[in-house]
DNA sequence: TGATATTTGTAGCCTAGGCTACATTTTTCG
DNA sequence: CGAAAAATGTAGCCTAGGCTACAAATATCA
């Protein structure tokens, strides 16, 4: 049957949007680990694989593999039985991610989302917020 | 060294947040497919695997495998060389996802995010927006 | 009609990110 | 000190979601 193609030749626009979302997803896990490690280092003085695993709700084996990936990407180092540390790059990433997380939560709360729902949604949303959107959130919070 | 555990016994709260984000991510792909198939059916009268793949920016083999998963989950049916169709459940999902997508884009645009950035970010954000947040978005758009 | 082009399907490979089970190392404490 | 507990690490398995390469079916059109 295949009706005449009215308008759908290459559609690079939609494809690019989905591709961006996929890329963002790929970095989401590492971002969460970096943010969490920074938090634990700040609040506890150290970031042990076991604590990281418990906070993320995954097995310690899963956490250790992710930490290996962080090391491979040059974001973290680890001393056995001494915990995980962030490299310069890891700290920069963590700082950026923490700030972004805070901004997303603040915006949701400002729009009337209950605190716990805001925290929960932000945990996923944060990884898909571009700089342009982040700037818009910031403007809104400042202006209201 | 292991300083005395000040406060971090079980931490089920953080774990639950991360877990929710992981769950949301798991359904993201199927949601996008359902939404896209509904769009293609509406605008072109049919949804061919090849067109789906092009719009998503993936190989046709990838699209076909995802379509198999849709079928397995009871969300779609397919007639070879006739394209893909949505079941009742698939249509309900698509309708919900489309509405949610629109609302997220509208909110971002209302906050001053440029149109294309809004579309791009929404493609990822939409999968992490709870009903509570959705309601807040809706209220904001109505009230301003 | 029959050759060619397109579409669809299959096979096999890869990585990320989960898991459990088991092994090893380090800490803790009686 | 030495045994028990805890933490860390390793091995092996699974699924989702990508890919390329090849095979088969269908459509198109000269
Ligand atoms: Mn997160
Ligand atoms: Mn976060
Ligand atoms: Mn999407
Ligand atoms: Mn969408």
């Amino acid at each position: 049957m295949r009706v005449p193609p009215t308008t759908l030749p290459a559609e690079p626009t939609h494809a690019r949007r989905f591709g961006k979302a996929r890329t963002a997803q790929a970095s989401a896990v590492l971002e969460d680990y970096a943010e969490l490690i920074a938090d634990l280092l700040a609040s506890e003085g150290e970031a042990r694989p076991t604590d990281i695993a418990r906070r993320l709700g995954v097995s310690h084996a899963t956490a250790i593999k992710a930490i290996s990936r962080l090391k491979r990407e040059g974001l973290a180092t680890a001393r056995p039985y001494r915990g995980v540390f962030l490299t310069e790059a890891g700290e920069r990433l963590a700082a950026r991610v923490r700030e972004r997380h805070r901004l997303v939560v603040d915006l949701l709360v400002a729009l009337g989302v209950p605190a716990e729902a805001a925290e929960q949604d932000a945990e996923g949303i944060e990884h898909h917020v571009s700089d342009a959107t982040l700037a818009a959130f910031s403007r809104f919070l400042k202006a209201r």
Side-chain angles (χ1 to χ4, degrees), chain A:
Chain A
M1 206 135 302
R2 204 80 248 259
V3 289
T6 49
T7 342
L8 73 171
E11 299 292 353
T13 305
H14 292 102
R16 185 158 19 82
R17 288 175 196 162
F18 287 111
K20 281 272 178 67
R22 280 193 297 271
T23 300
Q25 195 49 44
S27 41
V29 169
L30 293 192
E31 290 181 351
D32 282 339
Y33 273 84
E35 184 185 3
L36 173 54
I37 290 167
D39 282 358
L40 287 172
L41 285 173
S43 68
E44 309 297 325
E46 58 179 12
R48 299 297 189 98
T50 297
D51 295 332
I52 294 169
R54 184 175 47 233
R55 280 278 284 267
L56 290 173
V58 299
S59 73
H60 81 277
T62 295
I64 286 173
K65 272 213 276 190
I67 291 165
S68 297
R69 216 170 326 119
L70 282 173
K71 291 191 274 190
R72 198 207 312 152
E73 308 267 337
L75 296 169
T77 59
R79 303 212 314 275
Y81 294 85
R82 277 288 148 76
V84 183
F85 304 90
L86 294 175
T87 62
E88 279 292 323
E91 296 224 35
R92 278 194 302 273
L93 174 62
R96 195 155 50 77
V97 169
R98 185 196 296 112
E99 171 69 6
R100 192 185 57 184
H101 183 115
R102 199 190 53 71
L103 207 48
V104 171
V105 171
D106 287 354
L107 177 92
L108 292 179
V109 169
L111 291 180
V113 178
E116 181 53 28
E119 281 292 348
Q120 230 163 73
D121 291 7
E123 207 50 76
I125 290 174
E126 58 180 354
H127 308 286
H128 299 278
V129 170
S130 64
D131 287 344
T133 294
L134 218 50
F137 286 5
S138 194
R139 257 181 280 124
F140 175 79
L141 287 170
K142 214 161 288 175
R144 87 211 165 85

